[in-house]
Amino acid sequence: MNPGLALVLRRTALSGGLLVLLTVVVYVGVDLLPGDPVTARLGPNTSPARIAEIRDHLGLDRPVLTRYTEWAWGLLHGDLGHAANHRPVTEVLSDRIGNSLLLAVLAVLLLAPLSVFFGVLAAWHRGRATDRIVSSAALTLVSLPEFVVAGALVVVFATGLGWLPALSFVPAGVSPLAQPAVLVLPVLSLLLVGLAYAVRVIRACAVATLRSPQVEFLTLNGTPPLTIALRAVVPSVLPVAVQVWLISASGFVGGAVLVEQVFGYPGVGELLVTSVRSGDLPVVQALVVVLGGGMLLALVLADLAAVLLTPRLRTAVTG
Amino acid sequence: ACGGAPAPGGVPLAGGNQATPRKGGALRAVFGGGPAESLDPYAGGTPVDFVRNDVVYDSLFVLRGSDSVPSLATAVEVAKDAKSFTLRLRENVRWHDGSPFTAQDVVYSLRYMCSPDRPFPSQLAPYLDVAKASATDAKTVVVPTLTPVGDPAQLLAAIPAKIVKDGAKDFSAGKAIGTGPYRVDSFEAGRQTRLVRFDGHWDGQAPADEILLLSLSDPQTAVRAVTSGQADYAGDVPVATAKTGVPGGDLEIRTAGEANRVGFAFVLNTTRKPFDDPRVRRAARLAVNRQALVDTVLLGYGAPGNDLFGKGARHYSDLPPLPRDVDAARKLIKEAGAEGAVVTLRSAEYVLGYNASTQLFAEQLKEIGLDARVQLVGLQEFFEPAALAEANSVTFSIGPSPLAVTYGRLGAFPSLGLADPEFTAAFQRALGATDDTVRAQAWAQVQKVMAERGNTVVWGQADVLSVARKTVAGVQVRDEAKYPYLGKAGLA
Amino acid sequence: MKPLVRLEDLALGAGDQRLLDGVSVELGRGESVGIVGPSGSGKTTLALALFGHLRPGVRHLGGRVLVDGHDMLPRRAPGVAGRVLGYLGQDPGGSLNPYARVGSILRTAARGRGAVPELLAGVGLPADLARRYPHQLSGGQQQRVALAAALAGRPALLVLDEPTTALDVLATQEVLAELARVRASGTGLVWISHDHGTVAALTNRVLELERGKVVRDGRPLDRPIRTAGQRGTGESGREVLTVRGLSARHGKRTVLAGVDLTVHSGQLLVVLGASGAGKSTLARRITGLHPQGDGQIRLGDTLLAPDVRKRNLAQRAALGLVAQNPADALHPYQTVRTALSRPTSTLRRTTTTEADVRRLLELVRLPGEFADRLPGELSGGQRQRVALARALAAGPEVLLCDEATSALDTSAQEEVLAVLADVRARLGLAVVLITHDPHVAVTADQVVVLHGGRVATTGSAAHLFPGQDDPATAVARLLTPISPHDTRGVAQA
Amino acid sequence: MRRAGFLLLGAVIVLVLLGPELAPHSVTAPVGPPYAPPGPGRLLGTDHLGRDVLSRLLAGGRPLLLTSLLAAVAGTGLGALTGLLSALLRWVNATLFRLLDVLAAVPPVLLLLLVLTALPSRAGLVLAVVLVSAPLSARVARATADQVRHRGHVEAAVLRGEGIGWLLTREVLPLVAGTLLADLGLRFVLSVYLVAAAGFLGISGTGSDWGLLVVEALPGVALQPWALLAPALAIALLAVSATLVADGVGARAKAVLA
Ligand SMILES: Nc1ncnc2c1ncn2[C@@H]1O[C@H](COP(=O)(O)OP(=O)(O)OP(=O)(O)O)[C@@H](O)[C@H]1O
Ligand SMILES: Nc1ncnc2c1ncn2[C@@H]1O[C@H](COP(=O)(O)OP(=O)(O)OP(=O)(O)O)[C@@H](O)[C@H]1O
Ligand SMILES: [Mg+2]
Ligand SMILES: [Mg+2]
Ligand code: NI
C-alpha cells in the first residue's frame, strides 16, 4: 500500500479511538458539572421534592455508566438523543453546524492568504516601520475583545455607512448563503481577531527563513523579492501556518459566541454556551462529539499537511 | 414617577402608543430566544417562547391588571370545601385546523402540562389532581384539587396554562396548533417565527396580518435590531440601553408602567444562622440602601421597594419602605450576637442586575458588621437545591403575580420560604378561602408577618422597559410585562 | 575601458579586528581572477563585499565598492546582484532552498532562460535529479546543483567561493570544462580556491590575501606539484572496527550494498569514490545516524546497534564523526567553547577545563581566543577545523572524517593531517578519511574505493598507487567506471 | 523603537505591580453615581456600580499577571515542551501528543467549566487555561521544530550522547524560540479573555482583573466607554510593549538562549 495512504488510515483509525476516549471523558465530565438539567430548567419555581420526582422519572439518577452506554449505543445508530425541548438533537445541531462551518470556512479562506501576506511582509521589513505597524496593529486587535471589534465594524459599515446589515437575520429555513451580505461583517470580525495570531506566528517563522543562507544565496543572485517570498519563504512557513489556521478555524466554529451574539447569527458557539447554561446535557454532549470529531479529523489533516509540506518528512514517508 | 434622574434621552413613556392599531401590516418584534425554543408550550423556556405561546395558544383565564378574566373558560365554580372546581367552557371556539374546541381538549391539556415528561411541567401540578379531572359534557370540566384552592381562576391565569388540542404530541412547525389569534407559519429555533393571523379567532380578528418574532440572545443586539430598522419592537431592554437613549425621531423607549414592575430582592435563608434570627433579618432590611440600589442597578428606572413581593397584584399591602438606619441595624446585630458572621450572598446573572445588586448589598451589609461574601455562580447551577440551602441569601425577582403564586413558589423551597407558624397558617387560609373578604384578611396577615419578620428584602420595583417604533400600538400586558401580549398589537 | 568592479581602499571590520584592510582592486569586464590565501584571510569577506553584503557583525570601516559604476556600500545598489554579479557561497548545501525540488530551484535561478536538464548536464549531473529535494543529494551533488543555479542566471561576473571542495577529480574536471565554456562566452570569474591547479586553469590573474590585505596581485603561480605526503605503510594494529555486508536505503532506493570493511587501530583508511557513490552514507551508517539498512557493524568484539540512539555512551564515544558540511554541523548560537567542551562532558563525564579547550584549538591550529566565537563569526576553514577538534575532543577510537579538510588551504591541511598522524601513532587512533584529494589519498595505509554503493576496489595504498604515478591520475583511474553498468551501481537497482 | 518598547514595558510593569497601592479609591465600594464620565477625582469615571474605574484598573493588573500571564507562560511552556519532544522522540509523538489532540477537541468553554468544577480556585483557572492553550502551542512548536531537527548540529549532539534535555533546550529551542515567543504573546492576550469568559459564565476564581473589567463594562459601553476602553487598552499596551521588547531582544541576543 502507498505509505502515505497507510499513514492517513492509521491516523484516522487512531483518531477514532481518541474520539471514543473523548466521549467517555466528556460524558462523564459533563455529568459531573454542577447543576443538573432539571434544576437548571425549572429553577426555584418548583419544589425540591418535585424536582427529585422528575429527575427520577427521567432516569437521571441511574449510574452514569449505564446512561453512557445507552447514549453511545444510540450514537452508533446516528441517534444523538433529544434536547431539553424534546427536539431530536441531530435536528438542533444540523442547521447551526452548517451556519458555523460556513462562517469558519469563509473566515479561514480569507485568513490563509492574508495572514501569510502580512506575516511575510512584516518579516521582510523586520525591525522597520512596516513591521511595527503590522505587529502593533495585530496585537491591539487581539487585545480588544471580539465584541468591541465587531461593534466597531457595525458602527462603521452598518450604522455609519449603511453598506451592510447590522444584524445577520436570515429567515427560517433559508441558508445565509442566499443573503451573502449578512455574512460580511461576522466573517470580517472573526478574521480580524484570528489574523493577529496567525500574522505574528507566521512572521516569526518567516524571520527565521529570511536569515537563512538559502535566502542569502537567492538575494545575491538577484532573485526578485517576490520570487524569494513565494519560493523560499512561503513554503517554509506553510507547515506552521497550517497549524495556526487550523487552530483559528476551530476557534471560529466553537468559540465565536460573542460574534454570533453581536450579529444574531445562529451558530454553534451560542448553542454550546446556552446549552451549558441551561444544563441541556444531550445537546452539550452531542456538540462535543461532533465538534470534537471534526476537530480530530482536522488535526489528522493538519498532521498530514505538516508532513506533506515539510520535504524531509514527506520523503521519509513516500521514499 | 421614576426615582433618580433619568438622562434626557432616556425618559420612558408609560404604556406607549394607545391608538388602536390599523388592520394589516407585519409587526416585527425581537425577544430573547435561542436554540432551546420550542412550539410546545411546555417545552420552551425563553422569553420569545412565552410571547409566542400567548398568541398561538389560549388560556382558560388571563390576567388583566390584577383581575382574572375569562378566556377559553367562561366561568369557574368552586366547591364549598374548595377541593374541586368546575370549568364552563366557551362555545364556538375553533382550532387553527378548523376543528371545534371541546372539554376533552382541556382535560388532555391539564394532564399534558402537569406530566413530569414535559421539559417545563406546569406549576399547577402541586395544586391540581389532574389524573382525576374529567369532562362531564362537551363544555364542562371538573377538576379536583390536591389542596384547597379558593380562587382557581387566579392560578389558571397567572401560571402559564396553554390549552393544546386533545392528543397533541407533535409540535413541529407544521403541526403545532392552538386556538389563539395567530397560527405558526414557519419556525426556526433561535432565529425567527413567522406567525400569520388566524381569522377564525373567537375574540375577533387580530390587527396585524403577520407577526415576525425574531430571537436574539443578546439584549443589546435586540435593541440594535430596532434602531437599525430591522425590527419594530424589542422587549425587556436593559436599563443601560434605555439610559443611552435611542436615536431617531420615530423610536421611543416605553415602560410597562408602575403596576407592572418587577420586585428585585434578596431572599434570606431562615434555616441557617444568622438569618434564622428575625433581628438579623430586620437588620439586613435596615441596612439596605434602597435608593442607592435603585439609582445604580436600575439607573433610576424604578422605585424603592417595601420588602413585599407582588406590587400590583390583588390584596397587596402597599406599606411604606423601611427607612435606612445603619445604627439601629448594628444594634440589632449586636443583640443577636451576629457580629462578624459570615453571610454568603448567592447570585447569578439570571436577570440583568442580579450580580450588581448583590455586590452592592454586600458592601452595605459590611457596614453593619456582617462579613458578607458574594458568591457569583453560573446559571446552570444557580438553583441547585443543596447550594441554595447553604447560601445565606439568594438574589431573586418576581413580578406582580398573584400573591398565591408568589408565596406558593417561595414556600415550596425550604431555604426561600419563611418558616413561621403564623405565616404558614395565614397562607393556607388565604389559598383556600372561597370568600373574598376572608381572603383579603388572610393576605393582609401574611404580609404583616412578612413586614415584621419576613425574609424577603425587596429593595426595589423595577420598570420593564422596551424599545419600539412610535407606530407600534396595542401592546398589552397580561401576566408578566416582560412577555407582552401581541394579540391586539399592530402598527398604527 | 571602464572596470566592471572597483574596490577603493576597502576596509571592513568586526569587533576591533580588521577583516579587510585597504583593499584596492580593479576587475575588467570578462576578466577572471583567482583569490587565494590561507584560511581566514578574508576571501569570503571580500567576495561578499562585492555584493555590498556584510555578514552579521561585520562593519564597513571605509573605502568604496563600485560595481558597474554603482556604489555597493553602505547600501547595495539595486539591480546589480543577479544581472551583473552571480554568487555561489562556500556552503553549497545551505544555499539550496530545502522546500523546492532541484528542478524548481534551477528554474527559479534561470528565470526562464535555459532548460533544467541542460543546466544539470553542464555540471555533470543526470537529469533525473531534477525531481529530488536538496536533502536527497550527496554533498557533491548539492554543490554542483548550487553551481548550476549560479550559472543559470548568466551574470557578467560570477563570484565562486570554493566551488569544487566537495567534488571528486572527475567531477571537478567536468565542472572546470563547463566553467571554461562560460568564460569563453564572455563571463568573468572571481574564483576563490585553495587548489592552485584550478586557479591556474581558469584564471590568468591571482590576488593573494593575507590577514585582510592583498599581498600579491599577479599571474597565477605555476606551483610545483605538491610534494606527495608520507606514503602509507600499510602496517596495521588490532581490528577496531569491522563492517560486514553493510547496506543502506533511502526509502526504497538502496544507496549502499554489501560493503565490507575492516579498520585497524592506528590505521589511516581512505575512502574514495565519485560524488554520490555513498561515502557519506557509509559514514552515517557506521555511526548510526542512518539506521535504515542491513549488515553488521562491530566495534572490537561487540555488535553495534544500527541506530545510534540504541548505543551506549562508550560505544558512541568510540566512534567520532566529522560531518561533510561544517556550516550545518555547528549550532549557530553555541560558542566554540561549548562545541568543544560538550563531547567530554557527555561522553566521558568529565568537565572540560579552559586548558583543554585551548589544547583542542591548538591541535587544529586555531588561536585560543576563538573559544568565544560563534560559528557565524568564523571563516569556512575555521569552522571545519572546529568541527574536527570537536570530534577529537572525546578521544574516539575510530575517527570518521567526511571531507574534513576540504575547506583548508594546503598548509593548514598538511598541519591538520600531521596532527592526525601524530595522534594515530601515539594513541592508536584509527582514521577513516573520506576524501577527494589525491594527495591525501596517497598517504593512506589502506584504500577503499566505492562505486555506486559497492566496494569496487580495496587494497593498500602502496598497491593502488604504484611508483611515481601522479596521485591525481591514479585516483582518476580508480574512479573511472569499468563498465557503463557500473556508473549506475546499486542506486537504481 | 526598542528603547521605546523597554520604557513602555517598564512603565506598564511598574503600574501593574504597584497599582493596588496607588489606587486612590476602594475597589469594591461605590464612590459616585454609576457610569459617571471622567472628571476631577475620578480620572476615568465610574463603572456600572459607581466604582472608580481608575482604582479598579490599577488594582486589576496584579491578578491579571498572576493568572493570565502565569497561565499563558505555563500553557505555552507545556505545549512547547510536548511539541518539541514530539518532534524529537517518536514515542512522545505517538502518546502524549495524541492526548493533547483529545484536549484540543474539547471546546474551550467546556474545558474551562470542567476544570473549574473540579478545582474552583485561581489554580483551577490557571490549569484550565493551560489545558486549553497547550495543545495548540504544541502543534506550532512541533511543526516549527520539524523544520530544524534534521540539522547537522542536532545529529552531532545525538552522536555525542546528549540527553533529551540538551537536545531540546540547547539544540532546537534556540532556533524555534522566535515562533514560540510570538505564540506566547498571543496566548497571553487570549488567556486574559478566557479568564474573563470564566467570569462571564459565573465561574470566576479571581477577583477583578482587566479582562473582567472589560466584560463588566460591556453592557454600559455607550454610557461610559472608558470603563471598557481603559482595561482593553491596558491589555493591548502590555501585549504590544512586551512584544516589541521580545522582538528586539530576540533579534539581538539569540546567543543568550544557547
Ligand atoms: N562576524 C565576525 N566577527 C569576528 N570575526 C569574523 C566575523 N566574520 C568573520 N570573521 C573573521 O574574519 C576572518 C576572515 O573570514 P573569511 O570568511 O573572509 O575567511 P576566508 O578567507 O574565506 O577563509 P576560509 O578559507 O577559511 O573560508 C576570519 O578570521 C574570521 O574569523
Ligand atoms: N535522502 C535521500 N534520499 C534518496 N537518495 C539519497 C538521499 N540522500 C542521499 N541520497 C543518494 O545516495 C547516494 C549516496 O549519497 P552520499 O551522500 O553517501 O554520497 P557521497 O559518496 O558522500 O557523495 P559526495 O562525495 O558527493 O558527498 C547519492 O546518489 C545520493 O543522491
Ligand atoms: Mg571562506
Ligand atoms: Mg558525501
Ligand atoms: Ni521593501
Side-chain angles (χ1 to χ4, degrees), chain D residues 117-130:
Chain D
T117 307
L119 205 68
S121 62
R122 191 193 294 277
L125 206 51
V126 171
L127 179 68
V129 177
V130 167

Side-chain angles (χ1 to χ4, degrees), chain A residues 35 39 41 44-48 50 57 84-86 95 99 166-167 170-174 261-262 264 266 270-271 274 276-277, chain B residues 35-37 43 114 117 119-121 123 125 188-192 214 216-217 221 224-225 230 380-381 383-385 396 412-413:
Chain A
T39 22
R41 217 161 43 222
N45 296 344
T46 313
S47 70
R50 169 89 170 146
H57 182 84
N85 62 5
H86 284 206
D95 40 320
N99 292 343
L167 290 166
V170 186
V174 176
Q261 279 188 356
V262 168
E270 193 199 6
L271 180 63
T274 41
V276 166
R277 283 190 180 182
Chain B
E37 288 170 30
C114 289
D117 282 332
F120 292 90
Q123 289 165 46
E188 193 169 327
R191 239 197 228 187
Q192 58 162 250
L214 305 167
L216 287 174
S217 53
T221 311
R224 196 142 41 76
Q230 286 170 284
Q380 70 281 5
E381 55 181 313
F383 295 123
E384 256 197 357
F396 207 51
F413 240 87

Side-chain angles (χ1 to χ4, degrees), chain C residues 227-236 266-270 417 421 424 431 433 438-447 459-467 471:
Chain C
T227 48
Q230 181 98 54
R231 294 259 169 155
T233 56
E235 279 170 22
S236 53
Q267 190 184 40
L268 176 66
L269 181 110
V270 162
L417 289 174
R424 281 196 291 133
V431 176
L433 201 63
H439 299 278
V440 177
V442 295
T443 62
D445 294 316
Q446 182 81 16
V447 176
S460 69
H463 179 72
L464 291 175
F465 305 107

Side-chain angles (χ1 to χ4, degrees), chain B residues 15-31:
Chain B
N17 195 331
Q18 296 301 323
T20 334
R22 68 180 157 83
K23 189 115 173 134
L27 179 67
R28 301 163 303 167
V30 201
F31 290 93

Side-chain angles (χ1 to χ4, degrees), chain B residues 64-89:
Chain B
R64 286 273 174 81
S66 57
D67 298 327
S68 42
V69 299
S71 180
L72 284 182
T74 49
V76 60
E77 290 140 26
V78 185
K80 275 254 147 30
D81 59 357
K83 288 212 168 149
S84 78
F85 56 88
T86 307
L87 292 165
R88 308 272 172 224
L89 302 181

Side-chain angles (χ1 to χ4, degrees), chain C residues 44 90 161-162 380:
Chain C
T44 302
Q90 209 170 354
D161 195 351
E162 315 212 22

